[in-house]
Amino acid sequence: MNEHPEDAQNGDSKPPQAVPEAWREFDDTLADGPSPAQVPDEAKVWLGEQRFLHGMLRALHTADAAAREGRIATLLERIDAEGDAAAVPSPRRHWGLVSLAALLLATLTLWFVMPDRLPTADAAVSRAVAELSRDVHRRFRVQLVAKDPTGKTQMRHEFALVTHPGMRFRIDGKLGFGGMQFGELRIGCDGTELWVLPANGMFRRAVPVAERERLMSGFGEVLDLGYLDVHDLVQRFPDDYDLRVVAREAGRDGRPSVRVEAVRRALAKMPLKSAWLLCDEATGMVTRIEADQELRGGYSRHLSLEYLGEESPALVDYRRPW
């Protein structure tokens, strides 16, 4: 940077000479005022390099992307203008440096202004399935609302759900029909046996998991075990639904999350017509599921699951309590 242009052109083997002090008076790279009116021809190459490098540093440290691009364009225009006005041809090494630095600045500018790409739906759901398969117990808040063809609410059930991979779950809550709410109900499964225990202790039942449909048929369409095993529920989405990531939004506690929409394919086995999942970007965990199901006679049902966190193993027992 500090060698004389004559030395660079003539191949002089003498050591580089210091930049004349008189040239430094023309260095306006750190000044906010106008540039000097008269610059000696022999100083223009050196001064152009100084302006370029200082301009590059300013561009890299500008936070605003639009301002950064404007500064880079202005900088390159000034370099071209100085090159046209200079009587002494610029050394080849100088313009090689200009081209390399311009390419670097363009790459950095694109990196700053391009938004983060959203993950694919398959990738988001696969991460969720992997996270749900971990050997931990998880708590959810479950709400089930059914409406008649006129849109009037016919039932509203709310449960606390604790679940673990392998068809192990326990729900505690109340059944509500119309404006009436019934007593507490507990349903559990330890992976081999399914059991039901009303709050009054009467009519308790337990059957092998293979016979769960027979036991749950007594509840009509009040409950569906398919959504109580959350790991299995999420794992089945890619098989029966068309999935797509539609947005990035704030999830639980304001954490960055991606929203995945699911639309059921023809001949799908799962009863849910459509659903959307909110997946934490950092952990992959599903923090919310909202799903709709059409029932016979124009009735519909809406399912909502909200993830509340992990549960201590010491507080969980999926076996029947009698």
Side-chain angles (χ1 to χ4, degrees):
M1 279 300 164
N2 294 337
E3 60 186 17
H4 284 293
E6 293 84 359
D7 295 338
Q9 288 180 323
N10 300 329
D12 197 341
S13 59
K14 294 186 296 182
Q17 300 297 315
V19 173
E21 289 297 330
W23 290 14
R24 300 187 184 279
E25 296 178 3
F26 303 109
D27 184 4
D28 60 343
T29 53
L30 298 180
D32 293 327
S35 302
Q38 297 295 328
V39 178
D41 289 343
E42 61 272 18
K44 287 183 177 181
V45 173
W46 173 83
L47 183 58
E49 292 177 342
Q50 293 295 105
R51 290 175 177 175
F52 176 80
L53 292 179
H54 282 276
M56 182 175 66
L57 291 174
R58 286 185 179 182
L60 288 176
H61 287 84
T62 301
D64 183 81
R68 181 185 302 112
E69 292 181 338
R71 287 176 182 269
I72 293 172
T74 301
L75 179 62
L76 293 177
E77 289 174 1
R78 290 183 63 183
I79 291 173
D80 291 339
E82 290 291 341
D84 293 340
V88 179
S90 300
R92 181 172 298 181
R93 64 167 183 82
H94 170 70
W95 291 112
L97 176 62
V98 170
S99 300
L100 180 60
L103 178 61
L104 174 62
L105 287 175
T107 302
L108 289 173
T109 299
L110 288 174
W111 185 85
F112 276 114
V113 300
M114 287 182 63
D116 293 337
R117 295 182 59 186
L118 290 170
T120 65
D122 287 341
V125 173
S126 294
R127 286 191 68 201
V129 172
E131 177 63 19
L132 285 166
S133 67
R134 291 200 301 119
D135 185 20
V136 296
H137 308 278
R138 303 183 186 274
R139 291 181 290 112
F140 293 85
R141 180 186 293 115
V142 182
Q143 185 180 77
L144 193 64
V145 178
K147 296 184 178 182
D148 64 18
T150 67
K152 183 179 180 180
T153 299
Q154 295 295 310
M155 67 179 189
R156 181 186 299 271
H157 311 319
E158 296 185 358
F159 303 101
L161 168 66
V162 179
T163 184
H164 185 281
M167 198 57 180
R168 285 183 282 175
F169 64 84
R170 192 190 70 210
I171 62 173
D172 296 88
K174 294 182 178 181
L175 302 180
F177 296 91
M180 300 179 60
Q181 190 135 28
F182 291 81
E184 294 284 341
L185 176 71
R186 177 175 294 181
I187 302 176
C189 184
D190 60 4
T192 59
E193 185 179 56
L194 175 69
W195 52 268
V196 177
L197 179 65
N200 58 14
M202 300 176 62
F203 308 110
R204 63 189 186 188
R205 296 284 304 280
V207 298
V209 171
E211 300 178 25
R212 60 183 181 274
E213 298 299 334
R214 177 172 59 84
L215 176 60
M216 299 310 296
S217 64
F219 289 88
E221 293 179 332
V222 173
L223 291 175
D224 185 341
L225 296 183
Y227 57 76
L228 298 181
D229 186 345
V230 182
H231 174 256
D232 182 67
L233 172 65
V234 176
Q235 188 171 237
R236 293 169 61 188
F237 270 114
D239 296 330
D240 287 355
Y241 294 81
D242 291 321
L243 306 173
R244 66 188 184 103
V245 173
V246 295
R248 175 180 284 112
E249 57 188 73
R252 187 168 179 262
D253 299 330
R255 294 169 60 91
S257 303
V258 292
R259 178 168 172 154
V260 180
E261 287 191 351
V263 179
R264 188 177 60 186
R265 301 191 188 106
L267 305 179
K269 297 179 180 179
M270 290 181 66
L272 303 175
K273 176 184 177 182
S274 61
W276 60 263
L277 303 81
L278 202 60
C279 302
D280 187 291
E281 282 200 89
T283 66
M285 179 61 190
V286 174
T287 57
R288 192 172 189 87
I289 299 176
E290 300 282 343
D292 291 294
Q293 179 181 0
E294 291 181 345
L295 305 176
R296 294 187 298 269
Y299 287 79
S300 62
R301 182 163 60 186
H302 182 80
L303 168 69
S304 176
L305 289 95
E306 182 182 5
Y307 179 55
L308 302 179
E310 296 184 9
E311 186 72 85
S312 169
L315 302 178
V316 183
D317 189 353
Y318 300 106
R319 298 171 299 178
R320 59 186 172 97
W322 70 86

